[in-house]
Amino acid sequence: MGFFDLWNPVVLLFVVVVGLVYHNLTSPSKAVAEGREPLRTKQRLSFYTGLALFYIGQGSPLSYIGHHYLFSVHMVQQSILYLIMPVFILNGIPDWLIRPIFKNKIARGILKFVTQPLIAILAFNLLFSIYHLPLIMDALMKSEWMLTGYHTLLLLTAFAMWFPVFGPLKEYANYSGLVKMAYIFGNGILLTPACALIIFADVSLYEMYRNAVVPFSALPLLEDQQLGGVLMKIIQEIVYGTVLAMVFFKWYRTEREQEEELSDEPSEKSGLTTA
């Protein structure tokens, strides 16, 4: 277990390059020169936070320990990469930055298909559940290329899953607050079977962790596995609950504003008539 095993320099380089490119493309001076309104600091911080979370999940000791020794750490890593990080990245991307990518008709068609709520919710949760089937996970863990490919696919479907709620291109995320709340609630339900399989298993499910020699004090194998399922479920509940509250209050404020506008219209008309 060397330093570069624990702190992946390739992932760090990727994060730094992406951060620098984003900084250059969204700099205030560039925005002024192109006649655009500069990005809010909050939006830029959201993107950088997402990059930091990506490195924590993919390039830090969390990734190495979760992959080689502790299933519970692996589940925390999964929660960061698929449930939390995409939200910050999507909130940090302005529509004008991503729109040129989808000028092509084929690219637009693919984006429209994969971000349809039913497709997006089923694709991510199905792939996530299949990944945690013992036969599949054991096979993937034996091949670095297969594991990387599957994780990349999971990451893409995670972004697609969050796109109907936080997508920067509003024509692909133009859903009412009620639809978004139902969507988030459905996500929570669909993720439950994978967590339940892990939490209530009475035997160790995964060969890799059964054969791991943990170089430090840790939980017994079965308890570590059950803790992983519990942590995943708790983090999922916190993330989805927070997003649900955000969507609800935004929807509630919008409804109140619309009601106030409608109630003001008759009085304005009445004033005009009297005049």
Side-chain angles (χ1 to χ4, degrees):
M1 192 192 306
F3 178 82
F4 290 114
D5 292 321
L6 295 175
W7 301 96
N8 192 314
V10 176
V11 178
L12 179 60
L13 179 62
F14 172 78
V15 166
V16 170
V17 170
V18 172
L20 289 174
V21 170
Y22 176 84
H23 174 76
N24 180 59
L25 293 175
T26 62
S27 65
S29 58
K30 189 176 180 66
V32 171
E34 295 179 356
R36 286 186 282 97
E37 185 178 347
L39 255 63
R40 292 171 297 159
T41 302
K42 183 178 178 182
Q43 195 171 7
R44 292 163 66 88
L45 283 176
S46 180
F47 188 87
Y48 294 133
T49 301
L51 284 181
L53 288 170
F54 178 77
Y55 184 70
I56 290 169
Q58 197 65 43
S60 77
L62 199 70
S63 175
Y64 186 85
I65 294 170
H67 182 74
H68 292 91
Y69 299 116
L70 296 177
F71 181 76
S72 55
V73 175
H74 178 69
M75 293 302 276
V76 173
Q77 176 207 16
Q78 299 261 293
S79 300
I80 292 171
L81 288 175
Y82 306 134
L83 300 184
I84 303 174
M85 181 272 294
V87 174
F88 284 93
I89 293 291
L90 288 172
N91 275 323
I93 298 176
D95 61 346
W96 54 262
L97 185 61
I98 195 174
R99 192 174 294 281
I101 300 173
F102 299 101
K103 278 186 176 181
N104 182 276
K105 186 177 180 180
I106 295 175
R108 282 201 312 272
I110 292 172
L111 181 67
K112 184 176 181 180
F113 176 75
V114 299
T115 59
Q116 288 181 36
L118 188 59
I119 299 295
I121 196 175
L122 289 177
F124 172 73
N125 287 287
L126 186 61
L127 282 173
F128 188 84
S129 297
I130 290 173
Y131 173 77
H132 288 96
L133 293 174
L135 181 67
I136 301 298
M137 190 168 176
D138 286 341
L140 291 172
M141 288 294 186
K142 292 175 182 176
S143 169
E144 193 67 33
W145 288 106
M146 286 175 61
L147 185 64
T148 300
Y150 202 100
H151 279 178
T152 301
L153 189 58
L154 263 176
L155 194 61
L156 292 173
T157 56
F159 273 100
M161 181 269 288
W162 282 117
F163 211 92
V165 182
F166 295 107
L169 301 179
K170 297 309 176 187
E171 62 267 35
Y172 299 97
N174 189 27
Y175 301 101
S176 69
L178 288 175
V179 171
K180 288 182 178 180
M181 284 186 277
Y183 178 79
I184 296 163
F185 184 75
N187 255 308
I189 293 174
L190 289 174
L191 199 62
T192 300
C195 295
L197 167 71
I198 297 163
I199 294 170
F200 297 110
D202 55 4
V203 295
S204 175
L205 296 173
Y206 306 108
E207 180 184 346
M208 179 170 194
Y209 296 101
R210 287 197 299 269
N211 298 332
V213 179
V214 183
F216 45 81
S217 177
L219 288 171
L221 187 60
L222 183 58
E223 291 182 17
D224 173 61
Q225 179 178 286
Q226 292 170 337
L227 176 62
V230 170
L231 287 173
M232 183 72 188
K233 187 60 182 171
I234 290 174
I235 294 171
Q236 175 237 311
E237 293 289 346
I238 293 172
V239 172
Y240 287 175
T242 302
V243 173
L244 196 62
M246 290 168 55
V247 172
F248 171 77
F249 286 115
K250 184 178 180 180
W251 168 77
Y252 179 75
R253 285 195 302 268
T254 302
E255 290 293 310
R256 286 293 302 270
E257 289 171 1
Q258 289 177 351
E259 287 178 4
E260 288 173 3
E261 288 176 4
L262 289 172
S263 63
D264 288 343
E265 283 181 7
S267 59
E268 288 176 2
K269 289 179 180 178
S270 176
L272 287 171
T273 305
T274 305

